[in-house]
Amino acid sequence: MSDLQRLERHACFGGWQDVYRHHSASLGCAMNFGVYLPPQARQRPCSVLYWLSGLGCTEQNFITKAGAQRRASELGLILVAPDTSPRGAAVADDPAYDLGQGAGFYVNATQAPWSAHYRMYDYVVEELPALIEAAFAVRPGLRGVAGHSMGGHGALVVALRNPGRYRSVSAFAPIVAPSRVPWGEKAFSAYLGSDRTTWAAYDAVALVQQATGERLPLLVDQGEADEFLGRELHPEWLQQACALVGHPLTLRRHAEYDHGYYFVASFIDDHLDWHARALAG
């Protein structure tokens, strides 16, 4: 905790939008994360919603484009938005936008050279929440997770793999079956190797089919004008898997909306309300 450094502070809807940097033991590099502290955090512990961003994003995309702070201020939600991958000169990278820095895919890589740093699953599930819960006044155990695109994939995966750790989960335009689409096949081949049986641990459709015990309700929003809808996203696969096993899913499809943050900003209040209800306990 001694290396936690605040890089930015902005007054926002009665609270603070901050950006911090720290050294990540999981990733072996410095990492940034944004944290919105609502005004209620001055008087009492608050519940936390973790936001996982998509390909090519940093912690800045969500905090500057989603417009989530106003509603989070009203609801008393802390919002935490980490970067999407390890970064730095010593961290492996690739010239393409969909592999390497900015494209961590929220997995623990097992293949060189990626395995030296790319352990985003451990970072978002274990290390970052432990840091947040030590540094800020948060309500113990009351966590939600949400995300967009690659981050929607990450949110679904970490919630489905960790029953009881999260009280709520939602996603915008998630990659629901990365094992079966070009983005995921490229990333998983590099990070996890050629044995596709290992990929299922990071595939939401596969995880829904394997889930046991209490099933956490899923909220998914998808734009019908999304340029990646038929190639990379396929929300109907998640819908079919949930129907097959009786997993609760609210899938909302919106005409004319594309893949970007205008779409996220249009429906972010609904997602914050969804999480606030689940985290009220």
Side-chain angles (χ1 to χ4, degrees):
M1 293 304 303
S2 61
D3 75 329
L4 189 62
Q5 176 189 7
R6 191 169 67 203
L7 304 180
E8 299 180 30
R9 165 152 280 200
H10 309 283
C12 188
F13 294 105
W16 297 104
Q17 177 61 64
D18 295 342
V19 176
Y20 286 88
R21 177 174 293 163
H22 74 110
H23 178 78
S24 166
S26 300
L27 305 176
C29 67
M31 286 292 286
N32 291 356
F33 64 88
V35 57
Y36 177 68
L37 300 170
Q40 295 88 337
R42 303 173 194 263
Q43 284 83 39
R44 59 173 173 80
C46 295
S47 302
V48 183
L49 175 63
Y50 292 88
W51 174 271
L52 307 183
S53 293
L55 285 167
C57 292
T58 70
E59 80 287 344
Q60 292 290 328
N61 294 73
F62 176 72
I63 67 176
T64 59
K65 295 181 178 180
Q69 293 92 341
R70 179 192 60 79
R71 190 67 178 134
S73 171
E74 296 169 355
L75 295 169
L77 278 177
I78 294 174
L79 305 177
V80 177
D83 201 348
T84 55
S85 78
R87 296 185 190 267
V91 176
D93 199 8
D94 187 272
Y97 77 98
D98 54 357
L99 188 67
Q101 296 187 32
F105 268 85
Y106 305 101
V107 304
N108 286 338
T110 59
Q111 306 298 304
W114 313 104
S115 56
H117 295 281
Y118 284 75
R119 293 183 294 274
M120 286 297 294
Y121 177 86
D122 282 352
Y123 179 71
V124 300
V125 173
E126 300 289 347
E127 184 179 5
L128 182 60
L131 186 157
I132 295 298
E133 290 165 17
F136 303 98
V138 303
R139 300 177 71 191
L142 292 178
R143 308 178 197 92
V145 63
H148 171 232
S149 192
M150 178 187 73
H153 139 74
L156 294 173
V157 165
V158 302
L160 290 166
R161 283 186 59 172
N162 295 277
R165 185 164 183 80
Y166 301 93
R167 296 287 187 92
S168 56
V169 59
S170 71
F172 288 85
I175 309 169
V176 301
S179 299
R180 298 159 60 186
V181 299
W183 273 342
E185 289 177 326
K186 178 179 180 178
F188 285 9
S189 294
Y191 297 147
L192 304 175
S194 59
D195 182 1
R196 286 177 173 254
T197 62
T198 66
W199 298 7
Y202 300 103
D203 186 299
V205 167
L207 291 169
V208 162
Q209 295 169 337
Q210 300 164 6
T212 59
E214 184 179 358
R215 295 181 178 273
L216 192 64
L218 314 179
L219 171 63
V220 174
D221 275 319
Q222 175 64 60
E224 292 290 345
D226 190 319
E227 61 269 41
F228 304 112
L229 178 57
R231 181 173 183 262
E232 306 284 1
L233 305 180
H234 293 284
E236 69 277 6
W237 293 347
L238 181 64
Q239 187 174 37
Q240 292 162 6
C242 287
L244 185 64
V245 298
H247 197 115
L249 167 68
T250 301
L251 173 61
R252 309 191 308 178
R253 303 184 71 135
H254 305 275
E256 301 179 343
Y257 284 91
D258 61 22
H259 194 72
Y261 264 89
Y262 294 110
F263 168 51
V264 173
S266 297
F267 300 101
I268 191 64
D269 284 6
D270 292 349
H271 284 243
L272 296 181
D273 291 346
W274 167 275
H275 289 280
R277 288 192 294 271
L279 296 170

